[in-house]
Amino acid sequence: MIRIAPAGRALAVAAAASLALTACGGGGDAGTAAKASESSAPASSAPAAAKGDGTLTIGTLLPQTGSLAFLGPPEFAGVDQAVKEINDAGGVLGKQVTKIHTDSGDTTTNLASQSVDKLLAQKADAIIGAASSSVSESVIDKITGAGVVQFSPANTSDKFTTINDNGLYFRTAPPDKLQGRVLGDLIAADGSDTIGILAMQDSYGSGLADQVTKTAQGAGAEVVERVDYDPKAADFSADVAKIKAKNPKAIVLIGFEEGAKVVQELVKQSLTADKVKWYMVDGNMSNSNYLKMPKGTLKGVKGTIPGAAAPEEFRKKLLANDPKLTNYTYAAESYDAAILIALAAEAAKDDSGKAIGAKLPEVSKGGEKCKDFKTCAELLKAGKDIDYDGVSGPIEFNDAGDPAEATIGVYQYGGENTYDATKALEYRTGKIDG
């Protein structure tokens, strides 16, 4: 069971201040998910050596291009800041950490597979990424089959909870069942008893739409129409028309960058945000994708993003590295992923992927609390067991490599078609079983 309760942070959404979120039953399938469809792995992905080479190499597989490119800058910035702090503190196993950035692209290209080949050839011990759940599914066999840790800061598909990963897949982002529950309860609490859902047709979109439907209906609302659309479609007029025909009071938009085209079609068909309540999710909550639209197009639109709002001190550090940042989505999760990988290597006294994977759960719970690499590493060198609590939250891994606790933030757009990424109405879950 999952308990969801307010975390007591600043309220960015006044209308949601009285939102009461009740406990929900389990969600998602318990069966084993299908493995990613990699028919063969290159010679470079042969099983890793039993012992690392002494130099921790962290690769990134994050979006520089494609439908989630707006998430790339904060994720890269988070990794960069973590590696800087790790190396400033003396590195891992007495050596500086090596960092290699690559582009994950999206599912319309083969960039992710090519980037993984490059990282494996350069002896990456752990790979942070991908952001897209579908992209991660396409390369997880290649990465974990090579004995390398795959650690995503942003994958939320429920499939990864049961996927065959050789014990080497981890994530700091919580499963979609949590975001879906918060969003479903938010919609019902806002007074919308009829809902239309427009969701991209992939594991992310479908899984999140399923959970929103289940939660909203459990709260007394009705999903009167759901359309799972092709994100590569040139036109979304027919999809939006199906929603319009059912006259819902609220519309949930679940997708990536193509969401801007969906929004334009909603406006074209007079389903504007001042007439129908719109709700978005982390994949389309962007401060750059809607800037060319008329001011006020998204005013009042609410959306959910897994994770707590980035603290001010952390934001300042990121801006020093990248002054152009406009949002901080998954920056903290990326930072924590790199720190945890480094601490696991220190705890194992071995930088190999398998050694890191074995120690990741251990450094995330049960020991002496610590909140930065330097302090945690000193405790490890003193023979202490540690419990790293990160910028993104407690990050206590369960047996599936998922965070056992999580925070979901609710944000609201203003008249400039942007939202304040520093403020959120936050909900923290209790311990997640399984």
Side-chain angles (χ1 to χ4, degrees):
M1 178 174 287
I2 298 174
R3 295 175 291 102
I4 302 179
R9 299 285 296 248
L11 304 187
V13 189
S18 63
L19 177 62
L21 299 178
T22 57
C24 302
D29 295 331
T32 302
K35 293 182 72 176
S37 57
E38 287 291 337
S39 58
S40 61
S44 60
S45 62
K51 192 81 172 175
D53 60 10
T55 298
L56 176 61
T57 299
I58 297 176
T60 65
L61 182 69
L62 297 170
Q64 296 172 348
T65 61
S67 57
L68 283 180
F70 75 94
L71 289 181
E75 291 171 337
F76 283 115
V79 174
D80 287 343
Q81 181 60 33
V83 173
K84 178 182 184 299
E85 292 178 16
I86 293 164
N87 285 338
D88 286 348
V92 172
L93 304 177
K95 293 184 179 181
Q96 297 286 280
V97 172
T98 298
K99 173 188 65 182
I100 306 169
H101 287 323
T102 69
D103 184 11
S104 65
D106 57 26
T107 55
T108 66
T109 70
N110 195 39
L111 277 175
S113 183
Q114 295 171 16
S115 292
V116 169
D117 288 345
K118 174 183 176 182
L119 292 171
L120 295 178
Q122 296 185 65
K123 299 182 179 180
D125 301 299
I127 295 174
I128 296 176
S132 160
S133 293
S134 292
V135 171
S136 282
E137 282 185 73
S138 74
V139 294
I140 189 170
D141 280 358
K142 184 178 287 190
I143 296 171
T144 61
V148 172
V149 165
Q150 181 175 2
F151 199 140
S152 176
N155 287 166
T156 57
S157 170
D158 291 334
K159 284 187 177 182
F160 292 105
T161 299
T162 53
I163 204 165
N164 186 352
D165 60 6
N166 299 313
L168 293 173
Y169 176 88
F170 295 83
R171 54 179 165 181
T172 37
D176 279 328
K177 59 187 176 184
L178 303 184
Q179 182 178 190
R181 290 175 194 187
V182 171
L183 184 54
D185 276 328
L186 172 65
I187 295 167
D190 280 351
S192 297
D193 55 6
T194 56
I195 304 167
I197 298 178
L198 283 159
M200 66 185 296
Q201 194 172 40
D202 78 342
S203 60
Y204 167 77
S206 298
L208 195 42
D210 288 345
Q211 189 59 58
V212 170
T213 299
K214 181 178 180 180
T215 303
Q217 291 182 162
E222 179 186 2
V223 175
V224 293
E225 184 65 68
R226 169 177 164 178
V227 179
D228 287 23
Y229 65 82
D230 178 0
K232 298 185 288 293
D235 178 78
F236 298 98
S237 58
D239 299 318
V240 171
K242 292 178 182 178
I243 298 293
K244 183 177 181 179
K246 297 300 177 68
N247 194 32
K249 293 179 181 177
I251 296 176
V252 181
L253 307 176
I254 303 173
F256 293 159
E257 188 179 45
E258 82 291 337
K261 294 181 180 179
V262 177
V263 165
Q264 290 172 337
E265 188 59 41
L266 287 170
V267 172
K268 185 177 179 181
Q269 296 194 31
S270 300
L271 295 172
T272 52
D274 59 342
K275 297 177 181 177
V276 183
K277 293 177 181 177
W278 297 355
Y279 296 86
M280 292 183 171
V281 291
D282 57 311
N284 51 25
M285 284 290 289
S286 169
N287 273 338
S288 57
N289 288 354
Y290 313 107
L291 294 179
K292 294 181 180 180
M293 296 181 182
K295 290 185 178 181
T297 299
L298 271 71
K299 186 176 181 180
V301 174
K302 297 176 185 178
T304 49
I305 299 177
E312 183 179 4
E313 182 180 355
F314 181 64
R315 297 196 307 270
K316 287 180 178 178
K317 291 178 181 179
L318 297 183
L319 287 170
N321 291 326
D322 184 357
K324 296 181 180 180
L325 284 179
T326 60
N327 72 82
Y328 305 94
T329 306
Y330 296 124
E333 286 80 1
S334 300
Y335 171 91
D336 286 337
I339 296 290
L340 281 161
I341 288 166
L343 290 174
E346 278 284 352
K349 295 182 173 58
D350 183 355
D351 62 284
S352 71
K354 290 182 179 178
I356 292 169
K359 287 292 184 178
L360 275 169
E362 184 177 308
V363 298
S364 75
K365 60 185 176 183
E368 188 170 338
K369 296 281 188 182
C370 52
K371 296 185 176 182
D372 61 83
F373 176 79
K374 184 177 180 180
T375 302
C376 293
E378 288 174 351
L379 288 171
L380 286 172
K381 289 173 183 175
K384 302 288 184 65
D385 183 19
I386 66 166
D387 180 354
Y388 174 72
D389 281 357
V391 179
S392 65
I395 324 174
E396 180 177 315
F397 292 117
N398 61 23
D399 292 341
D402 292 340
E405 297 181 47
T407 298
I408 307 294
V410 177
Y411 298 81
Q412 181 168 315
Y413 278 90
E416 301 297 317
N417 298 330
T418 60
Y419 66 92
D420 188 342
T422 70
K423 295 180 181 179
L425 174 63
E426 295 181 350
Y427 293 89
R428 185 167 295 125
T429 69
K431 289 294 181 71
I432 305 166
D433 297 329

